[in-house]
Amino acid sequence: MNVVKIKVLLMMGLVVGLLGSALAVIYSKYQSRLLFIDIQKQERELDRYEVEWGQLQLELTTLAEENRVEQIAREKLRLVLPQREAIIYIKP
């Protein structure tokens, strides 16, 4: 009878271990899916930032064009190019 009790206890222990292992697998799979969803969200956000960065680079290029700067200097600041005689060159 002691042998039967030991076999029953051993079998119950194995069943509990098996259930615990199954629950651990389910939990790790769930965590894996949550991380995958988070990675996809981060990748979409990165894509949005890259598009915005490209748009800002285009805007910067447009605003920094030499003729645009010169046009704004002439119109808004009323700057004019000095005559050749008024330019002083300093040699280093």
Side-chain angles (χ1 to χ4, degrees):
M1 210 160 195
N2 280 338
V3 174
V4 173
K5 284 183 182 180
I6 292 174
K7 286 184 179 181
V8 169
L9 287 175
L10 182 62
M11 189 64 74
M12 286 178 29
L14 290 173
V15 168
V16 168
L18 181 64
L19 288 175
S21 175
L23 289 175
V25 168
I26 291 169
Y27 179 75
S28 76
K29 186 67 174 175
Y30 173 73
Q31 290 296 333
S32 172
R33 287 180 180 159
L34 289 179
L35 288 173
F36 181 73
I37 289 168
D38 190 41
I39 287 171
Q40 285 186 326
K41 286 179 184 176
Q42 296 293 328
E43 286 177 347
R44 280 193 300 268
E45 190 173 348
L46 177 63
D47 290 343
R48 272 198 324 268
Y49 285 137
E50 286 177 349
V51 168
E52 184 180 356
W53 173 255
Q55 290 171 345
L56 289 173
Q57 289 293 337
L58 284 173
E59 185 178 340
L60 179 63
T61 302
T62 302
L63 293 175
E65 285 182 4
E66 188 176 321
N67 58 355
R68 178 171 167 73
V69 173
E70 186 176 337
Q71 179 185 7
I72 291 172
R74 289 178 192 266
E75 292 174 0
K76 292 187 177 180
L77 302 176
R78 296 188 181 145
L79 296 179
V80 293
L81 286 175
Q83 295 190 3
R84 282 195 168 261
E85 300 82 33
I87 298 175
I88 301 172
Y89 293 98
I90 300 174
K91 293 183 180 180

